[in-house]
Amino acid sequence: MAKSWYTINTYTSYEKKIERTIKTLLKSGELDSSIVTDVKLPMQDVKIVKDDGKTTTRSELVMPGYVLLEMDLPELGWKDTCNKIRHIQGVSGFVGTKPNERPRPVANSEVKRILEVSGEIKGGAVTRVKTTYIVGDSVKIIDGPFASFSGKIEEIYADKEKLRVNVQIFGRATPVELDFKQVTSDNSAN
C-alpha cells in the first residue's frame, strides 16, 4: 500500500500532547516507523490587532481537535497499529470511521491545502488577521492626513489590515480607507 494521510480526532487542547506521544512511541519502537511515517500538527500565525492599533502575533492550530498522520497501512496487521493510536489518551478515533473499520485516507488536495496554509509546503504560509474592531465601531484617526478626525467603521478588510471609515468632512460623510495602525478606539463616542 502507498503512503496516505489520515486524520485522528482528539480532545480539545490534547493535540500537542498526542503529537509528542506518537513521536515517543515511534522512537521507542512501540509504533512501527515504517507504517507511521510522519505526524503533523499544522500551525498558523495569527496577527491580532487591538483597539489601540498595536499588533501581536501568535501561533494557532489550523485544525483544532485534529492531528495528521502519514501512514503506509499494510493490508494485514493494520488493526494493531490503529488500535495503538486509538488507545492514546485524548484520541477519540480516526475521522470518518468506526473503531473496527480501516481508516479512510484524507484526499491529497485537502492535505496539500492544509499544509500550504501552515507554510509547511510551497505556497507560503498564510497569516490570518484577527481584529477587535467590528463594523459600526467609532474610531479616532491618529495618523495620516485625516489625523484627529473621528468616524464609524463601514467595512473591515482583515486580509489587507485596512478599514473603510466614514468620516465627516465639511459636513459630508466621506469614506476613507485606513490601515489598522492609523486608528484607535474612540472612547469619547461612547
Side-chain angles (χ1 to χ4, degrees):
M1 175 116 195
K3 289 182 188 178
S4 297
W5 286 96
Y6 298 84
T7 307
I8 54 173
N9 197 343
T10 68
Y11 298 154
T12 306
S13 74
Y14 273 68
E15 301 91 350
K16 290 180 182 177
K17 180 182 178 190
I18 291 167
E19 178 191 34
R20 283 191 308 267
T21 301
I22 292 172
K23 287 180 178 181
T24 301
L25 292 172
L26 287 167
K27 282 182 184 174
S28 70
E30 290 182 58
L31 275 176
D32 189 344
S33 60
S34 66
I35 295 175
V36 180
T37 56
D38 201 358
V39 182
K40 293 218 184 277
L41 195 56
M43 303 293 281
Q44 176 181 33
D45 287 337
V46 178
K47 190 180 293 186
I48 298 148
V49 181
K50 298 179 182 167
D51 287 343
D52 60 3
K54 293 181 182 174
T55 61
T56 59
T57 303
R58 72 172 181 227
S59 230
E60 287 185 359
L61 294 168
V62 173
M63 303 181 325
Y66 299 95
V67 176
L68 288 174
L69 293 176
E70 186 179 42
M71 298 191 296
D72 188 3
L73 279 181
E75 290 300 320
L76 299 172
W78 62 267
K79 277 188 178 185
D80 182 47
T81 300
C82 292
N83 283 336
K84 284 179 185 173
I85 293 168
R86 282 187 187 106
H87 287 95
I88 295 172
Q89 182 180 2
V91 173
S92 49
F94 284 89
V95 172
T97 59
K98 295 177 182 159
N100 58 348
E101 292 178 342
R102 183 183 174 94
R104 292 185 201 107
V106 179
N108 286 335
S109 60
E110 184 66 16
V111 173
K112 181 181 177 202
R113 185 192 64 76
I114 292 165
L115 296 178
E116 281 177 353
V117 167
S118 70
E120 293 193 40
I121 61 172
K122 193 176 178 182
V126 177
T127 301
R128 201 173 82 227
V129 179
K130 282 186 180 178
T131 179
T132 55
Y133 297 119
I134 58 172
V135 172
D137 278 355
S138 292
V139 292
K140 183 172 182 154
I141 302 170
I142 57 171
D143 185 37
F146 300 103
S148 78
F149 280 86
S150 293
K152 289 205 182 281
I153 297 174
E154 284 186 346
E155 281 191 66
I156 300 172
Y157 309 108
D159 55 331
K160 297 178 186 175
E161 297 185 37
K162 293 194 179 280
L163 304 166
R164 187 168 64 192
V165 178
N166 206 5
V167 179
Q168 293 290 325
I169 301 175
F170 302 118
R172 302 179 104 182
T174 306
V176 177
E177 192 170 291
L178 302 162
D179 290 335
F180 286 168
K181 293 178 181 176
Q182 290 181 283
V183 298
T184 187
S185 286
D186 189 5
N187 296 329
S188 65
N190 295 333

